[in-house]
């Protein structure tokens, strides 16, 4: 979050819940594409999606259920954005069965031991496989995703307006100062960040693990007593 908002609001409010009932759920192309928006690119109370964000952010979970089918998602010029493939493979920038104009280009980086990367060449599509991440350029208005694998292609898109704040990182922690990084490490070590994500689990297994975590630490009971 921007420093001014984080200092005055976020630290008091804490983590924001994502309300399942407010997640925008849409289907396209006779059910071949399912799009779930957890954040819709706005940062205001009128957002129709399940998460309130402190700066404009788009969080989209997209399933493409047939090879060669394309889906376009608008991402404003100048935003930072990445695409993470949870299952299957996707071509970024491919035309597929749809047309893309002013499309975002991409760099794909795999998470194997080689940390390999390749650039889009002359507007050609970049293929991103399971557990790989593509970092998008800041130019363009449209992200075009085309399924490149049989079965379901499961993709997470994260995009946001740059907040132009200083960055200090340590491992997976990224904050605005070294003191904030050290505080975040302490919070993580004491369980305040919740349960670390296991990308090898399917959605049902992950949901059950989260529920077990809440019950184990009494978080569910504490939240219920507050509501009462």
């Amino acid at each position: 979050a921007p420093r001014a908002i984080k200092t005055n609001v976020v630290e008091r409010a804490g983590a924001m819940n994502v309300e399942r009932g407010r997640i925008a759920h849409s289907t396209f192309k006779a059910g071949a594409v399912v799009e779930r928006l957890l954040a819709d690119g706005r940062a205001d109370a009128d957002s129709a999606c399940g998460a309130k964000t402190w700066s404009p952010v788009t969080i989209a979970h997209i399933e493409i259920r047939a090879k060669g089918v394309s889906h376009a998602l608008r991402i404003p010029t100048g935003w930072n954005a990445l695409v993470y493939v949870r299952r299957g493979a996707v071509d970024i920038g491919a035309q597929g069965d749809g047309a893309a104009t002013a499309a975002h280009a991409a760099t794909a980086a795999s998470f194997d031991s080689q940390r390999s990367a390749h650039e889009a060449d002359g507007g050609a599509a970049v293929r991103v496989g399971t557990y790989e991440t593509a970092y998008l350029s800041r130019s363009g208005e449209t992200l075009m995703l085309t399924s490149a694998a049989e079965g379901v292609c499961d993709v997470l898109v994260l995009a946001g307006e740059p907040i132009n704040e200083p960055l200090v990182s340590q491992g997976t922690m990224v904050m605005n100062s070294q003191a904030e990084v050290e505080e975040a490490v302490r919070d993580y070590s004491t369980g305040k960040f919740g349960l670390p994500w296991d990308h090898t689990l399917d959605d049902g297994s992950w949901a059950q693990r989260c529920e077990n975590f809440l019950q184990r630490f009494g978080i569910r009971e504490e939240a219920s007593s507050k509501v009462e």
Side-chain angles (χ1 to χ4, degrees):
R3 183 183 296 270
I5 296 177
K6 181 169 68 176
T7 301
N8 297 326
V9 180
V10 178
E11 290 181 353
R12 295 198 304 270
M16 301 301 295
N17 294 326
V18 177
E19 300 175 17
R20 183 184 296 272
R22 295 183 65 227
I23 295 175
H25 185 285
S26 303
T27 59
F28 305 92
K29 300 183 179 178
V33 177
V34 177
E35 178 187 272
R36 301 177 183 90
L37 280 178
L38 286 76
D40 61 1
R42 296 186 292 173
D44 55 57
D46 295 327
S47 172
C49 294
K52 174 179 171 55
T53 61
W54 304 108
S55 61
V57 170
T58 293
I59 304 174
H61 177 208
I62 298 169
E63 292 182 355
I64 305 177
R65 298 178 173 178
K67 185 176 181 179
V69 173
S70 297
H71 181 63
L73 184 68
R74 181 182 177 278
I75 298 177
T77 296
W79 278 30
N80 295 318
L82 62 82
V83 175
Y84 175 73
V85 178
R86 302 175 69 215
R87 182 171 31 154
V90 67
D91 287 338
I92 297 178
Q95 297 303 304
D97 61 357
T101 59
H104 289 270
T107 300
S110 71
F111 283 90
D112 61 20
S113 59
Q114 301 298 316
R115 294 290 296 177
S116 61
H118 53 277
E119 296 277 354
D121 182 14
V126 171
R127 180 157 299 178
V128 190
T130 303
Y131 305 149
E132 289 187 337
T133 299
Y135 301 92
L136 306 185
S137 69
R138 290 189 178 184
S139 61
E141 291 281 346
T142 301
L143 169 63
M144 179 64 74
L145 303 171
T146 302
S147 176
E150 302 293 342
V152 175
C153 180
D154 189 332
V155 175
L156 182 65
V157 179
L158 305 175
E161 183 180 62
I163 60 176
N164 299 317
E165 296 284 358
L167 296 178
V168 177
S169 64
Q170 178 178 320
T172 58
M173 304 299 176
V174 181
M175 304 296 286
N176 298 132
S177 68
Q178 184 60 38
E180 290 179 347
V181 167
E182 293 170 0
E183 180 181 3
V185 171
R186 288 194 299 270
D187 288 346
Y188 176 81
S189 301
T190 55
K192 292 183 179 180
F193 280 17
L195 186 65
W197 177 49
D198 185 346
H199 70 271
T200 64
L201 297 180
D202 59 32
D203 290 345
S205 299
W206 172 243
Q208 185 58 55
R209 179 173 291 188
C210 291
E211 184 64 29
N212 294 341
F213 175 85
L214 294 174
Q215 293 178 359
R216 176 185 175 188
F217 288 95
I219 298 173
R220 180 71 71 205
E221 291 79 0
E222 180 182 346
S224 298
S225 64
K226 288 181 179 179
V227 171
E228 296 173 356

